[in-house]
Amino acid sequence: MKRRQIFMLVALAWASPALAVGSETAQAPIRSVLEHTLVDYIRPHYTAFEQTTLGLETAVETLCDTPSEATLAAARDAFRNVAGQWAQVEWLRIGPVMSENRLERIYFFPDRKGTGRKQVQAAIAGKDAGVTDAAALAANSVAMQGLGALEYILFGTGSEELAAGTASHRCGYARAAAANLATMAGELTEGWREGTQLSRMFVAPDAQNPLFRTDKEALNLLLGTEIHGLEAIRDTRLGAFLDSSDKHRDRPKLAPLWRADMTMGSIIANLTGLEALFNASTLETAAVDPNNHLGNTIRFEFTQAIRTAESLDAPAAELLGDPQRRDKLAYLGYAIRIIIDRFDQDFAQAAGLSTGFSFGDGD
């Protein structure tokens, strides 16, 4: 089944509580892989995300109650913690994150026309009362809530007024945005807690299970998460600001989270998150690998890409302005391409799945 069809089924299953739950029909090692994915990756990562959002909510409350350079710096650090934690799990497109536009409400990106920035600027300039209430904000444009909006509020033009205590409306907007993020994070952990219908369906492929009818569909989804995530890092994160064929077309101000100096930090977290998914899920046990080399090969390629990204942990404009480091950015795209090939060619074949297709464009 093609990736988009699977993701549609996943979203439908989450949105339809009356749907039947599959029985204990999944056979090892697939059921073990799914259980490890749920217990060792999904739940701990969403729990960590929720905890960081609660920390951000507290930090913003403190900033608004006692504005100062120190409390503004603490709120900004808390924002970076949330952004980094989200980047580790953001490619998982299953369950409650696919409902009620939570995926886009948590982080709306890319925003090539600056729609979100313009809306946030207008709300601040016009002192829009609708953005200082968390419930009202949750019903607003996806571009006006979540990480993109909060980044502008805490780091964008005029944000220094938060420390001076002369931006009560802006701080109210930050407070509502942080609370809205914490609410959504709580909804994600609640959806995946032990005993929910989603959790039961996730580990039990069955002909009557709307989530996964077969083991192959479940494997396709996990493999698709790896490949689609890697393609998105290369194309919509690096590709947002780097034009590898023409340096004059680079766009540093379209880099993800550049105001918070989290561009490369979020990309590193993207890669470590997908590596963690591969390791925690024990996905390699689903492949027939008589020499037991494939898993280690994939881990080696992840290490190479992450090491390259970590060596480039600097603002996007600074990286693009240095010819050597700009070349290294382009190499990072190549290193990610190697991991994609390992999954799309070697792993898919070893697991008995289709090869030579792109999950990114749904073919």
Side-chain angles (χ1 to χ4, degrees):
M1 177 172 287
K2 295 179 180 178
R3 182 183 64 85
R4 287 178 182 169
Q5 290 173 299
I6 294 175
F7 286 164
M8 288 180 66
L9 278 176
V10 169
L12 286 171
W14 168 252
S16 306
L19 291 173
V21 179
S23 59
E24 304 291 321
T25 56
Q27 301 299 313
I30 306 307
R31 178 164 185 132
S32 176
V33 168
L34 295 172
E35 287 177 341
H36 278 294
T37 301
L38 175 61
V39 175
D40 298 330
Y41 179 77
I42 295 175
R43 284 180 182 151
H45 275 78
Y46 277 143
T47 297
F49 175 58
E50 182 183 14
Q51 289 172 343
T52 58
T53 62
L54 293 173
L56 174 63
E57 191 176 15
T58 299
V60 171
E61 290 280 355
T62 302
L63 168 63
C64 294
D65 292 343
T66 55
S68 69
E69 294 291 343
T71 54
L72 176 58
R76 287 172 168 173
D77 285 344
F79 172 88
R80 293 188 181 99
N81 288 339
V82 173
Q85 194 58 51
W86 175 246
Q88 292 196 40
V89 74
E90 74 170 303
W91 307 119
L92 191 67
R93 309 292 169 88
I94 309 172
V97 77
M98 300 301 290
S99 296
E100 300 178 16
N101 295 321
R102 290 190 185 95
L103 185 69
E104 293 80 12
R105 288 166 56 205
I106 291 172
Y107 187 31
F108 177 70
F109 188 89
D111 183 10
R112 295 183 178 88
K113 295 183 179 179
T115 303
R117 173 185 53 78
K118 294 172 185 174
Q119 291 178 344
V120 172
Q121 285 176 321
I124 293 173
K127 299 190 183 305
D128 180 356
V131 301
T132 56
D133 177 81
L137 182 62
N140 218 315
S141 160
V142 298
M144 294 183 70
Q145 47 187 305
L147 295 174
L150 199 45
E151 184 201 20
Y152 187 86
I153 297 169
L154 292 176
F155 297 88
T157 303
S159 61
E160 65 279 359
E161 295 176 8
L162 292 168
T166 55
S168 58
H169 176 268
R170 188 173 188 135
C171 219
Y173 190 176
R175 195 194 307 252
N180 183 42
L181 270 172
T183 297
M184 287 189 283
E187 291 166 346
L188 299 184
T189 56
E190 173 63 19
W192 285 104
R193 69 174 169 77
E194 189 173 359
T196 62
Q197 185 182 41
L198 177 63
S199 291
R200 295 195 300 274
M201 287 194 298
F202 186 77
V203 297
D206 182 86
Q208 303 304 313
N209 183 341
L211 199 59
F212 304 127
R213 291 177 300 180
T214 65
D215 291 354
K216 184 177 179 180
E217 287 185 1
L219 268 181
N220 256 325
L221 182 72
L222 294 180
L223 185 58
T225 298
E226 290 283 358
I227 294 176
H228 172 69
L230 290 162
E231 288 179 335
I233 297 167
R234 182 194 59 188
D235 298 339
T236 69
R237 296 301 191 263
L238 279 176
F241 63 99
L242 170 69
D243 187 321
S244 56
S245 63
D246 184 356
K247 66 179 182 181
H248 299 294
R249 298 178 63 181
D250 289 341
R251 303 166 297 271
K253 290 193 174 182
L254 290 184
L257 301 172
W258 66 271
R259 290 184 180 84
D261 192 18
M262 272 292 291
T263 297
M264 292 307 299
S266 65
I267 289 173
I268 293 167
N270 283 157
L271 289 168
T272 58
L274 288 174
E275 181 188 38
L277 172 59
F278 179 70
N279 288 328
S281 68
T282 67
L283 186 58
E284 66 193 278
T285 63
V288 177
D289 182 20
N291 296 320
N292 200 30
H293 289 162
L294 185 54
N296 288 336
T297 300
I298 290 173
R299 276 187 283 275
F300 172 80
E301 301 298 354
F302 264 119
T303 298
Q304 294 298 102
I306 292 168
R307 187 174 297 163
T308 300
E310 288 175 339
S311 73
L312 293 166
D313 195 4
E318 183 178 320
L319 296 174
L320 295 172
D322 181 332
Q324 289 187 333
R325 288 198 284 179
R326 187 181 178 280
D327 287 346
K328 205 168 183 179
L329 274 177
Y331 172 78
L332 177 59
Y334 172 77
I336 293 171
R337 172 74 252 181
I338 297 299
I339 311 175
I340 294 170
D341 286 345
R342 294 298 186 196
F343 277 118
D344 197 14
Q345 302 295 328
D346 303 343
F347 187 90
Q349 184 175 22
L353 303 175
S354 299
T355 62
F357 57 91
S358 167
F359 283 85
D361 55 27
D363 293 334

